[in-house]
Amino acid sequence: MEAMPAERPRARHWSSPLSMVLFPAALWIVLPLWGTHALLITLVLLAGIQWLAGEHRTRWAMVMILLLALLLGGQAELGIRLYPVMINVSLALIFLGSLRSTPLIERLARLSEPDLPPEGVRYTRRVTWMWGIFMTLNAVIALVLALWAPLHVWQVWTGAISYLLAALLMAGEWLVRRRVRRKVVQA
């Protein structure tokens, strides 16, 4: 029986990275200048851009519907506080859900290295787990802060600390990956 080739990942779309940059910018600019309603409307627009971009349309439709319901229900602050929770939960589901077939990180690695060796496949599976767990923990922390912390504490976590931790995790993974690749080349 012939082995099925790994599914080819689609090209990354510009909207996801843009949205990741726009959230903290909106959080630190829109919230202090125009308040929670304006920020929630901005988040609905960001979700709408993602939905229009066509990637993960169901996820972004659900985010938009929930945010609009909170806005119309007079719960703008709760809406802005839940946005990072929704995003982190959906990202965790994407990372962890991909482990049922070809892990997300493996698909990304195969863009630059189509003939990924078995060591690379194992490594990318572990990295996919790591990112899924990170997103899950970040969602839990964001939810706890959304429900019980003062707005400024929530803002510092979701608009700065969580991004810093993700950057540190990315940098650490890059350093480990270099070491792992060196070992594979030397073997």
Side-chain angles (χ1 to χ4, degrees):
M1 186 161 155
E2 190 175 315
M4 301 257 323
E7 79 184 64
R8 296 286 299 168
R10 292 180 298 181
R12 286 198 57 159
H13 199 275
W14 56 268
S15 64
S16 290
L18 179 64
S19 182
M20 289 171 56
V21 170
L22 289 179
F23 172 73
L27 187 59
W28 292 102
I29 296 168
V30 175
L31 184 60
L33 292 176
W34 296 292
T36 55
H37 283 84
L39 179 57
L40 187 54
I41 291 167
T42 303
L43 297 178
V44 169
L45 292 173
L46 283 175
I49 290 168
Q50 295 285 6
W51 180 79
L52 289 172
E55 283 192 311
H56 309 288
R57 289 182 73 109
T58 302
R59 171 176 56 140
W60 288 110
M62 290 173 47
V63 169
M64 266 194 322
I65 290 166
L66 183 56
L67 292 177
L68 283 170
L70 289 165
L71 179 65
L72 296 173
Q75 297 293 319
E77 185 173 325
L78 182 60
I80 64 169
R81 286 174 173 248
L82 290 180
Y83 181 80
V85 176
M86 291 184 276
I87 300 309
N88 279 283
V89 165
S90 63
L91 289 172
L93 290 172
I94 290 169
F95 278 102
L96 297 173
S98 75
L99 292 165
R100 290 180 295 188
S101 59
T102 305
L104 179 61
I105 302 297
E106 179 183 341
R107 285 184 247 161
L108 294 173
R110 286 187 185 278
L111 288 174
S112 62
E113 196 171 336
D115 297 323
L116 196 62
E119 299 88 2
V121 171
R122 282 191 299 277
Y123 178 77
T124 57
R125 177 168 285 280
R126 282 190 225 117
V127 173
T128 302
W129 269 108
M130 178 189 69
W131 278 106
I133 291 167
F134 174 80
M135 294 299 170
T136 301
L137 291 173
N138 199 30
V140 169
I141 293 168
L143 179 61
V144 167
L145 294 175
L147 297 176
W148 294 295
L151 185 60
H152 70 278
V153 173
W154 168 87
Q155 184 180 17
V156 169
W157 176 266
T158 60
I161 295 172
S162 66
Y163 279 82
L164 176 64
L165 291 174
L168 289 172
L169 185 59
M170 198 177 301
E173 188 278 322
W174 180 78
L175 291 170
V176 169
R177 183 176 356 123
R178 287 180 48 148
R179 195 179 88 221
V180 168
R181 286 185 88 150
R182 234 180 285 126
K183 280 184 182 179
V184 169
V185 170
Q186 291 174 353

